[in-house]
Amino acid sequence: MKGHVLITGATKGIGRACAMRFAQAGWSVTAVARTTEDLQQMQRVWAKNYPNSVLHTHAADLSDAKGVSSVPQGDYDVLLLNAAAFAPGQLLDEADLYTAMHQLNVLANHRLARRLLPGFVARQRGHLVVIGSTGTDHWKKYMTAYVATKYALRGLYLGWEAELAGSGVLTTLVAPGATLTASWENETPPPDILQPEEVAEVVFSAVTNQRTGRLLV
Ligand SMILES: NC(=O)c1ccc[n+]([C@@H]2O[C@H](COP(=O)([O-])OP(=O)(O)OC[C@H]3O[C@@H](n4cnc5c(N)ncnc54)[C@H](OP(=O)(O)O)[C@@H]3O)[C@@H](O)[C@H]2O)c1
């Protein structure tokens, strides 16, 4: 099985590992992130390492409506909603972490779904994969703002799952535990931390084996 996957936040961490996993299998990848240099670096890697995969790149800040409306409406087989921001802290801290993270972790996904899923429904096929977090199973005090956005995303996912049932479009929520990415730069990672490639394998296998529902990693 080969197709075309759009991945948000595809230049780093879990998103990049997913892009590489799909590319290894000869899929076309549309990679979305803000930093143009990282997207250009991906183009160089693809030309050298994945000659059977076509890479399209799109630079956009998904945390505002304008950025989301610039994302191309292609004939995608998979929409992988992965991009999110993480910052530790408390709700009553001076810096309003929740509002900042809500723009990307929740609103961007809601807007992208509204922009791209009608095309999937019209084609009566495709797979929506959303990256959640086990944070919604194991709440931690210093992660409240982030985890609240992931609860909201989980709520949206339940709505997409219900609304897409019977349309031919599959839905999967992949919920990883702590994974070694840039999100951990200023933190002490737990000893059992996952590698991004392990999460990517679960995402790829969910798509190729048409696994739906919530998958814990
Ligand atoms: N790492 C963990 O421990 C962990 C655990 C559970 C779940 N997750 C989830 O896994 C997903 C990926 O996390 P990660 O740790 O792999 O992230 P990451 O390494 O921090 O990478 C984030 C990606 O998103 C892009 N991005 C950030 N802000 C953006 C914006 N405003 N618009 C567009 N793109 C943006 C980044 O590129 P630019 O900065 O260039 O835009 C980058 O490609 C997230 O949904 C996260 O919640 C992570």
Side-chain angles (χ1 to χ4, degrees), residues 9 11 14 34-35 61-62 82 146 150 176-177 179 181 183-184:
T11 53
I14 292 170
R34 287 170 304 180
T35 311
D61 184 346
L62 298 175
N82 165 75
Y146 168 78
K150 288 296 188 182
T179 308
T181 69
S183 303
W184 285 90

Side-chain angles (χ1 to χ4, degrees), residues 2 7 10-11 13-29 31 39-57 197 200-201 204:
K2 282 183 201 172
I7 305 176
T11 53
I14 292 170
R16 187 179 173 100
C18 289
M20 290 163 69
R21 184 64 188 88
F22 279 95
Q24 271 166 17
W27 281 59
S28 300
V29 176
L39 293 166
Q40 288 169 345
Q41 193 268 350
M42 267 181 102
Q43 287 285 11
R44 290 192 287 278
V45 169
W46 250 243
K48 194 167 150 226
N49 295 354
Y50 307 111
N52 297 324
S53 167
V54 178
L55 176 69
H56 309 273
T57 58
E197 292 74 19
E201 199 54 48
F204 184 72

Side-chain angles (χ1 to χ4, degrees), residues 5-20 29-35 38-39 42 46 55-63 67-68 71 79-85 104-105 108-109 112 116 129 131 150 181-183 196 199-200 203:
V5 55
L6 182 141
I7 305 176
T8 65
T11 53
K12 294 179 192 143
I14 292 170
R16 187 179 173 100
C18 289
M20 290 163 69
V29 176
T30 291
V32 183
R34 287 170 304 180
T35 311
D38 291 346
L39 293 166
M42 267 181 102
W46 250 243
L55 176 69
H56 309 273
T57 58
H58 184 75
D61 184 346
L62 298 175
S63 64
V68 172
V71 174
L79 170 60
L80 176 53
L81 296 179
N82 165 75
L104 179 65
N105 301 6
N109 292 316
L112 272 167
L116 298 178
V129 183
I131 304 294
K150 288 296 188 182
T181 69
S183 303
V199 182
V203 169

